[in-house]
Amino acid sequence: MKDIYYNAVIYVKNGMYASAVGVEDGRIGAVGDRADMEAWVKEDPAVWHDLEGRFVAPGFVDSHMHLLEYGYGLTTVDLASATSSMASMLDRVSEYMIDHGEARGGWIVGRGWNHDYFQDEKRFPNRYDLDRVTGDRPGILFRACGHVACANSAALAAAGITRDTPQPEGGCFDVDENGEPTGVLREYGINMVSRIIPSPGKEEIKEYILTAMKKLNAYGITSVQSDDLEAFPGVSYELVLDAYRELESQGLMTVKVYEQCLLSGMDTLRDFVSKGYRTGMGSRFFTIGPLKVFTDGSLGARTAFLSRPYADDAENPDNCGISIYSQEELDEKICFASEHGLQAAVHAIGDRAMDMTIRAFEKAGTAKEGNRLRHGIVHCQITTKELLKKFQELNLHAYIQSIFLDYDNHIVEDRLGKERAADTYQFKTLLDMGVDVSNGSDAPVENPDVLAGIQCAVTRTTLDGSRTFLPDQALSVEEALETYSSIGARASFEEDEKGMLLPGMTADFTVLAEDLRYCGPGRIKDVRVCRTFVDGICVFDGRGA
């Protein structure tokens, strides 16, 4: 049976539009107008669907997120909507405890606070703040970025963290003037507590994945590139892979996943490779993608690794952030990945972290090979003119998150100083230099709201329009759509499979209520997702919403 979708504005690819599209056996069979569809159908049976003038785009590709953590986060304390003050955040924790009793073995887990939004006390919460509402139940609350967390006294005791505990590699826990732990954990210091939280089993992991996919489809997302393998300390990467494989075999996956494989230890990475895992191995709904590597933290938490100290950290005037690896350790991981056919996607926010990453890519011979493995840098926020040139020279992929502008507009010039900030978040410059720039959300750091991300890319403002940052770096609507479709597909070597609505390509598409080009830049986030299709099957129908 053939399906015809007509009476629409169909964004086929950049610069190419149609009014109708034909779908057969999960693929695009024809594009054009109604007459073209009639010629394609001929005498074959077909179902005609009137889209009533709506806008159709290729299914959205989120090129960097944490799908499993996002699904898990939907079951924990939602602090993102209660982060206007320390008091509001703690009230939300109290409400959750009343509503959820002794879930998760008594642990209280939450995410989404942001001290920059606190109106009462602009500081990180500490153990004593949490103790007031959690009592003797262990609890840990993650900052929105996930690079800082706060644990209460019961959690610190359960983890055995005292004034005599050595600081961990790649992170730290804060201490007060008496040397006592405050409960604030940074980077790999977080694992000291998170690793003792009761781990989910495979069935729970599958539920988190399905919960996340349902939400993603509602945002118009059909494909993601997701970092999941170390979502839960103590849970093996094989258990996560098995969960995905079982969901696919059961026909339950409604989002196509290209796995960004976080394997922190070299022994684990060697084990992974010894089992034959390589980039591109898998199936249409679940594929092994790049090795994922963290090199630093986040700008909001002041843990992104900078070449010069933060301009607004009065308490720690020499603070340049945190480097997870030495240059030698990073070189070893990247060279090993390249030698064994693994693409690499490296988290680097600060300019010093990016410089280290580029040095590692150069040592691995990326330039000589023309970057055939399509190595890239995730986030690439605090750039310099020299770093931008290196992106072009090495043909690196840039995984950006334009939605970050909604928050970072408030802090970037304070964190760096106005002069240094002028060379950051250079999305338009990178595109104009011929660099592949794909877009994502980093969910659960931000909601995987593609339309909000497009609005930030096009306006360079906060979502409420109150602040603008480097407006000359604004993208056109079509450029922004490319970053969420065809360029995202290139990151996963699938540019001939998805990201455009050309004949022969997979029928992943999203139906929107309005044409994004003409609805007004400040209203893009409010455009309704009407339907989402994966392989020609409707996986979300929001027409009654």
Side-chain angles (χ1 to χ4, degrees), residues 55-72:
F55 186 79
V56 178
F60 296 140
V61 178
D62 187 314
S63 70
H64 177 66
M65 67 173 305
H66 307 262
L67 184 152
L68 182 49
E69 283 187 57
Y70 175 60
Y72 170 69

Side-chain angles (χ1 to χ4, degrees), residues 75 124 228 243 291 424 484:
T75 71
F124 291 169
D228 303 307
L291 170 68
T424 65
Y484 277 108

Side-chain angles (χ1 to χ4, degrees), residues 220-418:
I221 294 171
T222 59
S223 293
V224 299
Q225 294 163 32
S226 181
D227 168 0
D228 303 307
L229 299 191
E230 292 188 3
F232 304 105
V235 173
S236 72
Y237 69 79
E238 285 287 10
L239 187 67
V240 177
L241 295 178
D242 283 346
Y244 272 115
R245 285 189 286 249
E246 287 185 15
L247 288 173
E248 182 174 14
S249 68
Q250 294 164 354
L252 297 176
M253 291 182 67
T254 59
V255 174
K256 296 169 181 175
V257 177
Y258 187 69
E259 184 62 40
Q260 296 178 336
C261 304
L262 180 61
L263 303 158
S264 297
M266 281 302 300
D267 288 344
T268 306
L269 176 55
R270 291 188 183 97
D271 177 69
F272 185 81
V273 167
S274 72
K275 292 176 179 176
Y277 291 115
R278 298 290 188 277
T279 296
M281 174 184 173
S283 56
R284 292 180 64 243
F285 271 86
F286 186 80
T287 307
I288 297 296
L291 170 68
K292 171 69 186 304
V293 181
F294 275 94
T295 63
D296 67 348
S298 74
L299 189 68
R302 297 190 184 90
T303 55
F305 192 37
L306 305 179
S307 58
R308 286 184 279 168
Y310 283 88
D312 63 347
D313 194 350
E315 293 184 8
N316 302 286
D318 296 325
N319 177 27
C320 290
I322 293 176
S323 178
I324 304 299
Y325 297 106
S326 68
Q327 185 69 62
E328 293 73 21
E329 291 169 330
L330 185 58
D331 290 349
E332 181 183 19
K333 290 185 80 77
I334 299 302
C335 288
F336 184 89
S338 293
E339 290 165 5
H340 291 85
L342 278 174
Q343 181 184 23
V346 182
H347 166 116
I349 289 178
D351 58 332
R352 181 65 191 281
M354 267 182 277
D355 181 70
M356 290 177 64
T357 301
I358 284 170
R359 289 173 186 270
F361 282 141
E362 288 178 325
K363 186 165 186 177
T366 299
K368 295 176 183 176
E369 298 175 350
N371 196 16
R372 63 180 178 81
L373 289 171
R374 301 188 185 178
H375 297 316
I377 296 180
V378 180
H379 305 310
C380 35
Q381 291 162 235
I382 312 307
T383 47
T384 63
K385 290 182 175 64
E386 293 73 21
L387 287 171
L388 296 173
K389 291 176 183 175
K390 286 294 185 180
F391 269 89
Q392 185 182 48
E393 289 174 12
L394 297 181
N395 194 29
L396 295 177
H397 191 100
Y399 300 82
I400 68 163
Q401 295 74 42
S402 56
I403 188 62
F404 282 6
L405 289 166
D406 182 46
Y407 164 59
D408 289 3
N409 269 359
H410 296 280
I411 66 167
V412 61
E413 290 188 349
D414 290 337
R415 293 285 192 273
L416 303 175
K418 192 168 185 177

Side-chain angles (χ1 to χ4, degrees), residues 477-489:
V477 169
E478 281 200 343
E479 287 172 331
L481 280 169
E482 273 197 288
T483 68
Y484 277 108
S485 55
S486 59
I487 304 179

